[in-house]
Short mmCIF file of all heavy atoms in Angstrom, two decimals:
data_model
loop_
_atom_site.label_atom_id
_atom_site.label_comp_id
_atom_site.label_asym_id
_atom_site.label_seq_id
_atom_site.Cartn_x
_atom_site.Cartn_y
_atom_site.Cartn_z
N ALA Q 50 54.07 23.48 60.11
CA ALA Q 50 55.03 22.67 59.33
C ALA Q 50 54.59 22.63 57.86
O ALA Q 50 55.42 22.73 56.95
CB ALA Q 50 55.11 21.26 59.91
N PRO Q 259 27.58 10.93 45.03
CA PRO Q 259 26.85 10.53 43.81
C PRO Q 259 25.77 11.53 43.38
O PRO Q 259 25.37 11.52 42.21
CB PRO Q 259 26.20 9.19 44.21
CG PRO Q 259 26.98 8.70 45.38
CD PRO Q 259 27.48 9.92 46.09
N LEU Q 279 47.71 31.14 51.04
CA LEU Q 279 48.60 31.89 51.91
C LEU Q 279 49.89 32.25 51.16
O LEU Q 279 50.41 33.37 51.28
CB LEU Q 279 48.91 31.05 53.16
CG LEU Q 279 49.85 31.69 54.16
CD1 LEU Q 279 49.21 32.91 54.81
CD2 LEU Q 279 50.24 30.67 55.24
#
Side-chain angles (χ1 to χ4, degrees):
L279 179 67

